[in-house]
Amino acid sequence: MKVDTAIVLGSGLGSLANEVCVEKSIGFAEAGLPVSHVAGHVGRFFLGQFASIPLWVMQGRVHLYEGHSAQAATAGVRWLAEQGVTRIILTNAAGTLHPEYLPGRWMMLSDHLNLTGTSPLEGGPNFFDMSEVYSAEWRDLMRKKANELGMPLHEGVYAGLRGPQYETPAEIRMLRAIGADAVGMSTVLEAIQAKALGMEVLGFSCLTNWAAGMSSDELNHREVLETGKLAAVQMLSLLAAALPQDG
Ligand code: HPA
């Protein structure tokens, strides 16, 4: 089975993995990756089929906020490249900064702001072109399929921060001023690494909550996980409609 597409599942989106008919399961430790200890991040690769689509699934990821380096946080992407993956879909849970992008909806990444202060390409003269990280062609297809399904799909800029604490209202106002629509603590380094390896990249944020200061609610990780679970159902339909089936 030739499997060239992978999906990385973010917080609360692990239920996507339940829909995959698993042929092979490889734990992060077995693959030589650091193991995450955050609730909602299991830490394994699956090879299998989802709605007749052959797929690699990376369930869980390694975050900077756990004390890992940019290299460690992107080891999964390099491992997938070694398995022959050339197309990668990065998903995450994010806070929404856009007044019209409601929690519970998905936002496809048109671009990102890497505000982590680091890069997986550090250490070499990697003056890499980043003018189109998230494939315009692949995004066109997703937009069209979401439209056909009647699924609301926003598009915007994701700001990737180190965390682990959520942002202050002042930080959120700053992020809005510099053009962010959503904020989270992952994805940007993986996107840089995937792009540098020549992969076609797509990113989706599950908007789990209003960013700090945009509602009177306090942020909590459990709520992020629960909203992610509900929205995962929509993403399953979109992927089933948009990814090529086997044979
Ligand atoms: N901020 C940062 N990361 C997040 C958020 C948020 O509001 N929601 C989910 N991940």
Side-chain angles (χ1 to χ4, degrees):
M1 186 168 60
K2 185 179 160 289
V3 182
D4 60 6
T5 306
I7 181 162
V8 179
L9 304 179
S11 296
L13 302 175
S15 58
L16 268 169
N18 301 337
E19 307 299 322
V20 175
C21 175
V22 177
E23 275 183 27
K24 215 185 332 181
S25 165
I26 301 158
F28 277 8
E30 204 184 325
L33 264 71
V35 180
S36 171
H37 300 292
V38 181
H41 294 272
V42 176
R44 69 172 65 108
F45 297 98
F46 293 118
L47 176 65
Q49 297 229 359
F50 156 70
S52 302
I53 300 157
L55 204 61
W56 275 103
V57 179
M58 177 170 154
Q59 189 182 17
R61 36 158 76 96
V62 176
H63 295 90
L64 290 177
Y65 61 68
E66 296 169 82
H68 296 296
S69 65
Q71 276 291 313
T74 51
V77 174
R78 291 188 297 280
W79 189 87
L80 287 166
E82 280 165 23
Q83 315 310 310
V85 167
T86 56
R87 289 155 39 98
I88 193 161
I89 300 172
L90 305 169
T91 68
N92 59 54
T96 168
L97 280 70
H98 192 300
E100 285 164 20
Y101 293 5
L102 306 181
R105 299 243 175 109
W106 284 93
M107 184 190 90
M108 184 159 62
L109 276 61
S110 57
D111 205 344
H112 75 219
L113 293 160
N114 174 16
L115 301 176
T116 63
T118 186
S119 163
L121 309 185
E122 231 174 52
N126 292 305
F127 304 121
F128 196 73
D129 178 56
M130 293 284 286
S131 38
E132 189 190 307
V133 178
Y134 302 93
S135 163
E137 199 182 328
W138 210 1
R139 273 189 284 142
D140 284 347
L141 173 73
M142 289 292 167
R143 208 179 295 122
K144 182 167 156 272
K145 294 291 179 186
N147 200 20
E148 282 169 15
L149 291 170
M151 167 185 167
L153 180 63
H154 300 302
E155 219 167 325
V157 175
Y158 172 88
L161 275 68
R162 282 186 96 98
Q165 72 286 349
Y166 290 120
E167 302 70 37
T168 64
E171 286 165 344
I172 293 301
R173 288 194 296 276
M174 173 190 74
L175 292 173
R176 283 178 68 172
I178 62 173
D181 298 300
V183 59
M185 305 172 194
S186 67
T187 305
V188 292
L189 300 182
E190 292 160 327
I192 294 166
Q193 178 64 86
K195 186 73 185 166
L197 289 168
M199 288 187 191
E200 211 178 344
V201 184
L202 210 54
F204 290 102
S205 287
C206 177
L207 304 173
T208 50
N209 56 276
W210 289 112
M214 295 188 60
S215 96
S216 51
D217 299 344
E218 255 185 46
L219 302 187
N220 71 70
H221 188 57
R222 188 180 45 79
E223 200 175 289
V224 167
L225 295 183
E226 279 169 10
T227 310
K229 265 186 213 157
L230 294 177
V233 177
Q234 286 191 330
M235 186 46 63
L236 289 176
S237 315
L238 179 61
L239 294 177
L243 294 179
Q245 302 201 337
D246 196 24

